[in-house]
Amino acid sequence: MKKIAEAAATSSKAASEDPRMRWLLAVAPDATVISDSEGRIVTLNAQVAEMFGYPRAELLGAAVEILLPEHLRETHVMRRKEYQSTPRVRPMGVGLELSGRRQDGSEFPVEISLSPLESDGEMLVASTIRDLTERRELEAARFQLAAIVDSNDAVISETLDGLIVSWNNAAESIFGYSNEEAVGQPMAMLVPKGRDGEVDVMLAQLRRGERVGIHDAVRARKDGSLVDVSISMSAIRDRSGALVGASKVVRDITERMETEAALAAAREKAETSSKAFEAFSYSVAHDLRAPLRAIDGFSEALASEYGHLLDGGGQDYLQRVRSSAQRMANLIDSLLLLARVTHQELSSARVDLSALAALALERLAHASPDREVITVVQPDLIVQGDEVLLANALDNLFSNAWKFTAGRAEARIEFGHKDRAYFVQDNGAGFDMDYSGKLFGVFQRLHTPAEFAGTGIGLATVQRIIQRHGGQIWAEGGVNLGATFHFTLSGVAR
């Protein structure tokens, strides 16, 4: 080690006394390191110490690899030996990203040029090192500026007097003015009549140091047509921090405004429809039910007070009147429910379908204590949806299954999830698949009222509920082979 240090000191002294070396180091604008054949630094200029943060004395005699990141040092030793076999003036690491390492361990991009030198019969290598940090930052800024210029948003800068200084391609596309036509003109030329002063107001806010937020406005094109825009504005300051102008990003929001107008019209239409539905519901609930209640009430009074005067046929007719009135009332209730399902707003919450299924089956069992039905419910079936409507759908499906398994010695109803769909399955009367298309139609029935009671609206209601939850429903079955209703729901929150 002592011999190496002495050799380095000798080389350093020789290099420092060489007038060519002194001249080279003095005139070099970049950091310059001169190393010997062993890769030891024999001399350097002040820029090296400043760039890498080392004291000059610490670098003299050190291996030149001290200036490189640790993961590159071993490779550099081999490359240095290759260069010594064929020394010539050339850049180092052509096509590679080179990095330097400061004393504090931080790395930065560099560009290095190599030049062979001869001093007192010894071949030395001069490495000129340039810090590329500022260049890379400028390149990034240039790319960012290019992206802004090619942006779909107009990017416009103006002086504090409101004169346009810069105008990108998007500004030309939105407003119709070319760069030559716009630059130097007052920004106020884009403000339609009746909105005079908007530019001055925004500039005044900047001068007072106030933040100018994003806001919607109307601006004028070259052809006189108006365009809806969204404007954001920021201050432009010089190196001393003084306000010298403003930069605006202007976005054409015509499509957004048209969408908002369409949504507003749709909301108004929906509100009108909702009011019409409310009026219809009120009419049905009061105007139609009132005569039905009267028919049922007077029929009951007639049977109670004068029934003994009627023979068997008369009493049968009277009972049929009452049954028809009650059936009509049930139909009205079912139609109102179907209409509400179609019009009411959906809520969204975490819904436990398994719990709703268990409650529905429990209510059916309580209403028919004389029946024995095997029920199976798969646990933990959780979805996202409207709990009230989903409960109604399950009530209808289980009521159907309960009704159509009547008379079965070993009735069985099951609820579960399989192949990405939920299902309600029973071993009841089933149906003919040739008529499955009628199952979900209003007032469509595959069995007579004498066989099984019902209004023919329940499955139509179920279908509306499932569809409003983004799902589908279908059925499979056979005559006396039971039925399975499958349905899907979007937004499953497993």
Side-chain angles (χ1 to χ4, degrees):
M1 289 295 292
K2 183 177 180 182
K3 291 182 178 180
I4 293 175
E6 291 174 351
T10 301
S11 297
S12 177
K13 181 179 179 182
S16 63
E17 292 175 351
D18 189 323
R20 291 181 304 163
M21 300 296 179
R22 291 199 301 272
W23 177 83
L24 175 64
L25 295 175
V27 300
D30 299 312
T32 303
V33 174
I34 297 177
S35 56
D36 62 16
S37 58
E38 299 298 323
R40 296 185 298 267
I41 298 174
V42 298
T43 189
L44 64 154
N45 62 4
Q47 290 94 316
V48 176
E50 182 181 353
M51 182 182 294
F52 289 89
Y54 285 96
R56 175 184 172 84
E58 190 172 336
L59 290 176
L60 288 173
V64 73
E65 282 79 21
I66 193 174
L67 304 178
L68 300 178
E70 294 181 3
H71 65 279
L72 297 178
R73 292 176 181 177
E74 186 175 345
T75 303
H76 184 264
V77 171
M78 295 186 294
R79 296 287 183 266
R80 175 165 51 77
K81 291 179 180 179
E82 291 175 0
Y83 178 80
Q84 288 170 351
S85 63
T86 55
R88 68 186 189 281
V89 177
R90 66 172 179 83
M92 176 180 170
V94 177
L96 301 177
E97 294 287 336
L98 303 181
S99 299
R101 182 183 184 277
R102 300 185 182 91
Q103 186 182 34
D104 62 9
S106 61
E107 298 182 14
F108 60 101
V110 295
E111 181 179 76
I112 303 176
S113 297
L114 303 176
S115 300
L117 299 172
E118 187 176 341
S119 177
D120 291 338
E122 182 180 6
M123 200 277 284
L124 305 176
V125 178
S127 302
T128 302
I129 307 167
R130 178 169 296 175
D131 186 346
L132 299 183
T133 302
E134 185 174 351
R135 184 193 298 179
R136 295 289 169 80
E137 290 175 351
L138 289 173
E139 287 176 353
R142 188 173 70 253
F143 288 139
Q144 184 178 14
L145 180 60
I148 290 174
V149 170
D150 293 334
S151 169
N152 291 327
D153 296 334
V155 181
I156 308 168
S157 60
E158 61 182 310
T159 67
L160 292 179
D161 295 326
L163 296 179
I164 297 172
V165 176
S166 67
W167 185 264
N168 71 344
N169 294 336
E172 180 174 342
S173 175
I174 292 174
F175 296 107
Y177 293 97
S178 67
N179 182 74
E180 292 75 15
E181 292 174 315
V183 172
Q185 298 300 314
M187 184 71 75
M189 74 177 184
L190 303 178
V191 180
K193 293 180 180 179
R195 294 175 173 265
D196 302 334
E198 285 189 3
V199 173
D200 292 336
V201 169
M202 296 174 71
L203 289 173
Q205 287 179 282
L206 280 185
R207 289 192 187 94
R208 293 194 297 268
E210 298 176 7
R211 180 178 177 275
V212 182
I214 299 175
H215 69 281
D216 294 346
V218 176
R219 289 293 180 259
R221 296 189 179 98
K222 180 180 177 180
D223 62 8
S225 62
L226 301 181
V227 58
D228 291 300
V229 296
S230 173
I231 303 174
S232 62
M233 187 173 182
S234 56
I236 299 176
R237 300 182 183 278
D238 61 17
R239 290 182 178 274
S240 66
L243 181 67
V244 294
S247 175
K248 290 181 178 178
V249 177
V250 184
R251 174 170 295 177
D252 184 343
I253 59 171
T254 301
E255 186 175 344
R256 192 193 85 191
M257 298 298 287
E258 290 174 349
T259 300
E260 290 178 357
L263 288 174
R267 281 195 299 269
E268 184 178 356
K269 184 177 180 180
E271 290 174 1
T272 302
S273 176
S274 178
K275 291 177 181 178
F277 168 68
E278 290 176 3
F280 165 76
S281 299
Y282 181 86
S283 175
V284 170
H286 294 82
D287 298 344
L288 294 184
R289 279 178 172 171
L292 283 176
R293 283 195 297 269
I295 292 171
D296 187 46
F298 283 117
S299 298
E300 182 181 13
L302 182 61
S304 175
E305 297 181 20
Y306 300 99
H308 63 283
L309 300 177
L310 300 174
D311 59 13
Q315 291 183 358
D316 180 57
Y317 292 151
L318 188 58
Q319 184 58 42
R320 290 190 183 189
V321 171
R322 290 202 65 201
S323 296
S324 296
Q326 291 168 359
R327 175 173 169 74
M328 186 63 181
N330 288 334
L331 285 174
I332 290 173
D333 289 340
S334 297
L335 284 172
L336 284 173
L337 175 60
L338 179 61
R340 282 197 295 273
V341 165
T342 303
H343 288 83
Q344 76 180 61
E345 290 188 13
L346 290 179
S347 63
S348 182
R350 192 170 183 272
V351 180
D352 188 339
L353 290 183
S354 299
L356 294 180
L359 285 174
L361 290 169
E362 183 181 336
R363 285 193 294 268
L364 290 166
H366 182 74
S368 305
D370 55 322
R371 288 193 58 187
E372 292 186 6
V373 179
I374 299 171
T375 59
V376 179
V377 176
Q378 183 178 333
D380 302 323
L381 296 180
I382 310 298
V383 299
Q384 194 77 13
D386 188 304
E387 184 171 5
V388 174
L389 291 184
L390 291 174
N392 183 283
L394 290 179
D395 283 344
N396 272 292
L397 290 174
F398 286 120
S399 294
N400 265 8
W402 195 272
K403 176 171 59 178
F404 290 114
T405 54
R408 287 288 188 270
E410 293 185 358
R412 177 185 173 87
I413 301 173
E414 182 178 356
F415 174 63
H417 184 273
K418 184 179 181 181
D419 297 330
R420 299 184 179 181
Y422 302 91
F423 66 86
V424 173
Q425 186 176 60
D426 67 68
N427 63 345
F431 59 91
D432 188 338
M433 283 293 290
D434 290 340
Y435 301 100
S436 60
K438 295 184 176 182
L439 280 173
F440 302 102
V442 178
F443 299 132
Q444 298 292 323
R445 293 173 51 84
L446 301 187
H447 301 86
T448 65
E451 292 177 299
F452 298 99
T455 62
I457 299 176
L459 288 179
T461 302
V462 173
Q463 185 183 53
R464 295 282 180 90
I465 293 172
I466 298 304
Q467 288 174 342
R468 293 203 65 192
H469 281 79
Q472 296 179 325
I473 185 168
W474 66 97
E476 297 175 344
V479 178
N480 292 319
L481 296 177
T484 304
F485 287 86
H486 306 269
F487 63 93
T488 60
L489 296 170
S490 64
V492 177
R494 290 180 181 280

